[in-house]
Amino acid sequence: MISIYHFGKFTLTCLASLAVLCAWAQNPIIYDRYTPDPAPYVHGDTLYLFVDHDEDVTENNYFTMKNWLLYSTVDMVNWTYRGTPITSKTFSSWAKQDNDCWASQCIERNGKWYWYCTATIKGEAYPGIGVAVADNPAGPYVDKIKKPLVKGWFKIDPSVFIDDNGQAYLFYGNNMLWYVKLNKNMTSFTGNEIEVKTKSEDAFGPYKGYNDDGTPKTNFEEASWIYKRNGKYYLEYAAGGVPEHWAYSTADKVTGPWTYQGKVLGQADNSFTIHGGSVEFKEHHYMFYHNGKLTGGGGYKRSTCVEEFTPNEDGTIPSIKFTTTGVEPILAVNPFELQEAETINKCSGVRCEGDYNGCYVTNTKKSGNIRVRNIDFGETGAKSFKALVRSTEATTLEIRTGTKSGSKTVGSITIASTNGEWQEVTCDLSTTVKGVQLYIYFIIKGTDVQTFDFDKWQFFEEPSSIKPRTTSLKSQTTYDLQGRKSNNSKHAVKIINGKKIIK
Ligand code: FUB
């Protein structure tokens, strides 16, 4: 797939530098892995974030991408890892293995989830787009057709859309743009691939230059993102060559003609690509994109960011500024409900693991920490805390509450080895924690050799001496609507910052 990129794309990556984030920074939003090419999808009260995965170690100074990841949120500031549902092995009958897991998008139709993914055709240098199907967003996913839906040079970056009349479309392409009309089964199409003429300034904006033979270079680069709002079709895309910016065009019909509307985002920090897409969630509009600003990040280590915006009255998208502070919470976390440890606002020294059967956090360093944002302890407050953990060596789990300027310890549990078994651990808090806390932190202090896994947590209004406890964390493990082992109600319904929330 290398040759679909222009020379500039390679030279620009040399500018990548180590980025250090300040404690208050919220963009990027995922901290345990590099998460490029975000494809947000709203389903019920949850926003799913389907992303690619830039590996920690870049091979051959080029994109090193072996699988696709899933995160979700209900509040926009705490993100739950839902596993690594698809790898190149999912497409083993036709895709090159262990690399080139490029941009993707997933959609639900009639209870099935269809995840369209770019990969390189086995034994060839050009890409194809496959589709894997599951009953739940977190999988397991199966490549039922065992072949790419479309393949050929420049055929990357799928964007799927179902129109009001039920007709589904798959758009894709780099510098060139095509679409197919998907059949209802979402895994085949009828008719030919239709090419959208990208060499039009009216449709896609000012040419980014001219070839030696005088033919123009289209402003359309890649990462098409198709949707409909208030009867109008929107096509967002990476534009301008590399480094890319984010632009969009609109049309009265999904098949065009398209009219260029302008630039929405400038060039991403520390990344020559910007791949993203906007989505409406609980009456808020969010623009997702990636940059290279996570620690150690760069052009091949990109991370998802998000900004909130308000469309103009006429439906046009305003110019959106990059921020490091990101977006505000739209719900508060209820600490008295069972919560997943892998629901994280920010973390370091830990990584999320697991799959559709259940995920958890594991430490990657001697000490690690997890931050959760916007937790409402109510007027009565919390007096004790319980966690479900397992450890191979003695470990201390410290609980802190935090503000913008600092944090204070409110509880601590020293856990002996649990011999690999999940175990509930409890502590009384040194002070009753009340009201809305900006942050709570879980600090893991261990040894060089130990493994510490953290699955769930919950606070209680009673001290630990009061028996019986509400319930056992283990016994609260149930299957949620997506078939994933978890408590069903992760967050309380809450109106925050005066914004109307629809649950
Ligand atoms: O992540 C690999 C490629 O980089 C994507 O397919 C493009 O959209 C660009 O983000």
Side-chain angles (χ1 to χ4, degrees):
M1 268 199 269
I2 285 176
S3 50
I4 66 173
Y5 278 102
H6 311 290
F7 178 68
K9 208 160 199 173
F10 299 104
T11 49
L12 280 159
T13 58
C14 304
L15 301 175
S17 64
L18 198 76
V20 180
L21 293 166
C22 74
W24 181 235
Q26 189 61 77
N27 271 329
I29 57 173
I30 307 289
Y31 287 80
D32 77 315
R33 284 170 172 84
Y34 296 110
T35 52
D37 303 332
Y41 184 64
V42 173
H43 195 264
D45 72 345
T46 302
L47 190 153
Y48 292 94
L49 182 63
F50 296 85
V51 283
D52 302 349
H53 178 201
D54 284 340
E55 291 291 326
D56 291 353
V57 178
T58 298
E59 294 159 13
N60 304 319
N61 193 29
Y62 196 59
F63 298 110
T64 308
M65 306 170 75
K66 300 175 194 268
N67 44 44
W68 291 269
L69 314 172
L70 176 61
Y71 293 82
S72 67
T73 188
V74 293
D75 58 22
M76 289 308 293
V77 294
N78 298 297
W79 292 88
T80 306
Y81 175 71
R82 310 294 295 260
T84 303
I86 307 190
T87 73
S88 59
K89 291 187 182 48
T90 310
F91 300 113
S92 60
S93 49
W94 60 270
K96 176 181 152 185
Q97 294 297 282
D98 295 324
N99 210 343
D100 297 353
C101 296
W102 281 22
S104 73
Q105 194 184 349
C106 188
I107 199 169
E108 184 267 348
R109 183 167 207 173
N110 298 330
K112 298 263 181 219
W113 293 74
Y114 300 90
W115 198 338
Y116 299 85
C117 300
T118 310
T120 300
I121 305 292
K122 212 180 251 181
E124 307 288 352
Y126 57 80
I129 294 171
V131 55
V133 187
D135 293 331
N136 301 293
Y141 281 87
V142 176
D143 176 7
K144 292 207 167 135
I145 60 171
K146 299 207 177 325
K147 59 177 187 185
L149 260 176
V150 293
K151 61 179 180 179
W153 286 107
F154 313 112
K155 293 179 179 172
I156 65 168
D157 291 2
S159 183
V160 60
F161 161 71
I162 304 173
D163 209 345
D164 299 337
N165 62 4
Q167 177 62 57
Y169 296 85
L170 188 73
F171 281 71
Y172 48 92
N174 167 288
N175 276 270
M176 298 175 75
L177 180 63
W178 297 266
Y179 68 85
V180 289
K181 281 175 149 188
L182 291 168
N183 294 328
K184 286 233 163 71
N185 64 16
M186 302 295 277
T187 57
S188 60
F189 61 90
T190 300
N192 297 324
E193 295 176 86
I194 312 285
E195 188 187 337
V196 179
K197 301 288 175 213
T198 54
K199 284 186 185 172
S200 157
E201 295 198 313
D202 289 342
F204 291 100
Y207 295 138
K208 64 191 174 207
Y210 291 85
N211 296 310
D212 292 344
D213 63 4
T215 54
K217 291 180 178 171
T218 171
N219 187 45
F220 172 84
E221 184 70 19
E222 58 189 1
S224 56
W225 183 256
I226 176 96
Y227 61 96
K228 189 179 193 178
R229 190 170 67 231
N230 296 335
K232 204 176 256 308
Y233 297 88
Y234 290 73
L235 185 64
E236 297 175 12
Y237 46 88
V242 287
E244 299 171 343
H245 61 264
W246 196 243
Y248 80 109
S249 303
T250 57
D252 293 331
K253 290 197 279 183
V254 68
T255 51
W258 294 96
T259 303
Y260 179 68
Q261 298 292 346
K263 193 190 257 198
V264 177
L265 290 167
Q267 293 161 5
D269 261 0
N270 209 24
S271 167
F272 56 93
T273 59
I274 192 168
H275 198 124
S278 68
V279 80
E280 189 177 345
F281 181 48
K282 296 178 181 171
E283 294 190 352
H284 297 254
H285 293 266
Y286 296 103
M287 181 63 74
F288 286 78
Y289 61 96
H290 67 223
N291 71 19
K293 292 289 279 181
L294 194 66
T295 303
Y300 301 129
K301 291 183 184 180
R302 303 155 295 168
S303 294
T304 292
C305 300
V306 62
E307 313 291 353
E308 185 166 357
F309 70 97
T310 306
N312 298 318
E313 295 238 313
D314 62 359
T316 53
I317 305 175
S319 168
I320 300 170
K321 285 200 168 58
F322 295 124
T323 69
T324 54
T325 45
V327 302
E328 289 299 309
I330 56 172
L331 280 181
V333 176
N334 182 345
F336 304 110
E337 286 187 346
L338 185 68
Q339 300 292 343
E340 300 290 342
E342 68 274 11
T343 298
I344 295 173
N345 173 249
K346 198 167 187 178
C347 64
S348 72
V350 297
R351 180 169 278 218
C352 301
E353 299 289 357
D355 58 19
Y356 53 89
N357 283 314
C359 297
Y360 56 91
V361 176
T362 195
N363 67 321
T364 53
K365 294 198 173 136
K366 196 169 158 179
S367 67
N369 66 77
I370 297 166
R371 188 174 86 182
V372 184
R373 181 169 166 190
N374 196 44
I375 313 94
D376 189 352
F377 285 87
E379 284 173 18
T380 311
K383 288 196 168 58
S384 65
F385 170 80
K386 202 184 241 190
L388 187 62
V389 300
R390 66 182 174 195
S391 181
T392 58
E393 298 271 325
T395 310
T396 301
L397 180 64
E398 198 174 285
I399 304 114
R400 290 189 196 178
T401 56
T403 61
K404 262 189 191 184
S405 55
S407 65
K408 70 172 185 203
T409 303
V410 295
S412 179
I413 314 175
T414 297
I415 301 141
S417 166
T418 68
N419 296 318
E421 296 295 320
W422 287 108
Q423 189 177 301
E424 287 182 4
V425 293
T426 303
C427 74
D428 285 316
L429 304 180
S430 55
T431 178
T432 304
V433 179
K434 293 183 180 177
V436 177
Q437 298 290 324
L438 181 57
Y439 298 128
I440 51 174
Y441 294 90
F442 301 113
I443 315 286
I444 299 161
K445 293 178 183 168
T447 67
D448 281 329
V449 289
Q450 128 275 36
T451 303
F452 181 77
D453 297 338
F454 183 13
D455 188 11
K456 298 174 196 302
W457 58 266
Q458 190 169 0
F459 285 85
F460 297 88
E461 289 181 343
E462 311 86 11
S464 61
S465 55
I466 295 186
K467 306 274 181 193
R469 273 316 194 76
T470 318
T471 42
S472 129
L473 298 196
K474 285 180 186 167
S475 69
Q476 289 190 44
T477 300
T478 54
Y479 286 89
D480 71 5
L481 290 174
Q482 283 78 39
R484 175 173 175 270
K485 274 185 199 163
S486 159
N487 183 283
N488 197 8
S489 50
K490 294 173 79 69
H491 296 73
V493 182
K494 193 88 183 174
I495 294 176
I496 286 291
N497 296 334
K499 291 193 175 158
K500 189 177 161 201
I501 307 303
I502 299 170
K503 173 111 171 153

